[in-house]
Structure formats: structure tokens, C-alpha cells
Amino acid sequence: LERSRHELRGLSASVESAREQERRRIARELHDELGQRLLALKLGIGALMPPARRPGADDQRAQVGDMLRMVDDTLASVRRIAADLRPTMLDDLGLNAAIEWLARETTQRTGIVVGTRLVPVTPPLPPHTATALYRVVQEALTNVARHAGARTAQVSTSRGTAGLQLTVDDDGVGVRTPRREGSFGLVGMRERVGLLGGRFSLRRRPEGGTRLQVTLPPSALQPDAPEAA
């Protein structure tokens, strides 16, 4: 049973790594290929804008303006989808920058005020560790927006001899009933943390709301840390 469990964890790590690579590839193609084509289309449509003095130009200018706004909306959607798949700043600027962007994006999209209090991460975390923590925060904030009825949330990190601790607090309704059938968000978060040899907890806060906490050991923070525990 122990050997089987170890093999299943190795398989899970391999599948998750392949998924992240595919997300990265699709996000790059959306951002670079489709984004550039939409920009070129916008420039082409803009060149069709008739001079204001031409007879009947008002209607044509209004139509061209509508098309330009549609292209802008589509371009914004493409960028948002690409960022949801894999934010480029996670690879380029690191975990803290990606979490801060996610907090701002969640606030704008949901109206929930998401604050951050993040300690500097030096040296940078291994890519698979940073990805796992980012996905945990992403899933946690999604759950807060969908189920917690919260007005505010806070993402914070701390670091000590015990390793790195990540906490997501909200002032919502607190932990409710057990997991719904077919809902695997919490299972996925626990599995990500378990693969790094960390601890995961979810509990009601005494002052109200929910606290999600992840603690990763020092071994998961080293540049040469293995991808599976």
C-alpha cells in the first residue's frame, strides 16, 4: 500500500507538471500569436476611419468606432484568459508579483477587497514550488468569491526556521459542510501541498471567516528541490 501510494503521488506530480507546461504553452500562444493578430486587426480597422469632413462620415466613423471597441474587448479577454492559464509574471517576476496581480484582479472582478502582506522570497523559489503556491492562492480566492460571502480577504506569507507559511484569511461565513460531491478544489490543494512535503489546514477563525494555511518545509524551498515528495 505504501509503495502504491508513493507511485500514485509520483504519477500525480508528473500529470500536474505536464498540465502546467501545457498551460504555459497555450498562454504564450494566446498572448503572443492571437494578441498580435488582434493588434494588427485593430490597426487595419483604424486605417478605415473616414475623414470627419466627408459626407456621411458620421455613420461610418461610428461603425468603425464600434468595431475598434469590440477588438479592444476581445483583446482584453484574450489577455485575461492567458493570465488565468499561466501569468507570465510568475515566470518573469516571481511568486510575490503574481500573487499581488491576482489579488488586484480578484478585487476588480468580484468587489472583494483582497490585501497582501508578503515577505521577500530570496533566493527565488523553485518553479514547481512557486507554481503550487500560486495555484493554491488562486483556488482559495476563487472559493472565497464563490462561497464565502466575504467582503475582504488577506493573503500573507512568513518565513522562519520551520519553512515558508502561506495564509489566506477571509471575513466570510466560515467553513461550512463537508465537500460537495464532484468538488475537488480542496483535494487538489491538499495534493499540491502534499507533493512538496508540506502541511495544509482549513479552519474557521475565532473572529469569523475562514483561514487556509499552508506550511512548506525548508527542503521544498531549495533551488534543487525535487518535484515530488
Side-chain angles (χ1 to χ4, degrees):
L1 285 175
E2 186 63 31
R3 184 170 63 251
S4 176
R5 189 178 297 112
H6 180 76
E7 290 174 351
L8 285 173
R9 283 211 158 184
L11 175 62
S12 178
S14 177
V15 169
E16 195 56 48
S17 177
R19 286 180 61 190
E20 287 297 336
Q21 291 177 13
E22 185 67 6
R23 282 172 174 167
R24 185 185 292 110
R25 182 188 66 79
I26 295 173
R28 292 284 185 186
E29 289 186 1
L30 281 173
H31 186 274
D32 296 341
E33 295 291 332
L34 188 54
Q36 289 177 6
R37 291 177 182 273
L38 285 170
L39 284 174
L41 179 61
K42 180 179 177 180
L43 292 174
I45 293 174
L48 299 176
M49 184 73 74
R53 302 177 198 173
R54 180 183 298 175
D58 289 345
D59 290 341
Q60 294 179 25
R61 290 175 68 87
Q63 291 176 355
V64 172
D66 289 341
M67 287 189 287
L68 287 175
R69 283 188 289 274
M70 188 179 301
V71 172
D72 283 338
D73 291 343
T74 305
L75 186 58
S77 296
V78 167
R79 287 171 174 165
R80 184 178 65 252
I81 293 169
D84 286 342
L85 281 170
R86 177 80 183 188
T88 56
M89 64 184 64
L90 180 59
D91 299 315
D92 298 338
L93 301 178
L95 177 64
N96 283 4
I99 289 177
E100 289 168 354
W101 171 85
L102 181 61
R104 292 192 299 269
E105 180 71 14
T106 303
T107 297
Q108 293 174 2
R109 189 176 66 251
T110 67
I112 300 171
V113 179
V114 182
T116 58
R117 190 170 60 247
L118 309 172
V119 298
V121 181
T122 52
L125 297 174
H128 59 275
T129 300
T131 297
L133 290 176
Y134 176 82
R135 294 302 182 194
V136 167
V137 175
Q138 187 179 44
E139 180 66 27
L141 291 181
T142 297
N143 288 342
V144 169
R146 289 179 178 174
H147 310 300
R151 292 176 298 177
T152 64
Q154 178 83 20
V155 182
S156 58
T157 57
S158 61
R159 194 164 183 175
T161 56
L164 178 68
Q165 188 171 82
L166 168 74
T167 305
V168 182
D169 289 322
D170 70 70
D171 62 356
V173 297
V175 181
R176 296 195 197 179
T177 57
R179 175 175 68 89
R180 300 188 312 277
E181 190 68 25
S183 176
F184 297 102
L186 289 178
V187 175
M189 286 191 281
R190 284 196 176 94
E191 184 65 17
R192 287 180 186 275
V193 175
L195 288 171
L196 296 171
R199 300 192 306 274
F200 175 93
S201 68
L202 183 69
R203 61 183 184 275
R204 183 186 295 271
R205 298 193 304 163
E207 62 271 35
T210 302
R211 168 164 292 177
L212 181 152
Q213 201 160 64
V214 171
T215 304
L216 297 184
S219 59
L221 313 180
Q222 302 304 317
D224 57 349
E227 292 201 24

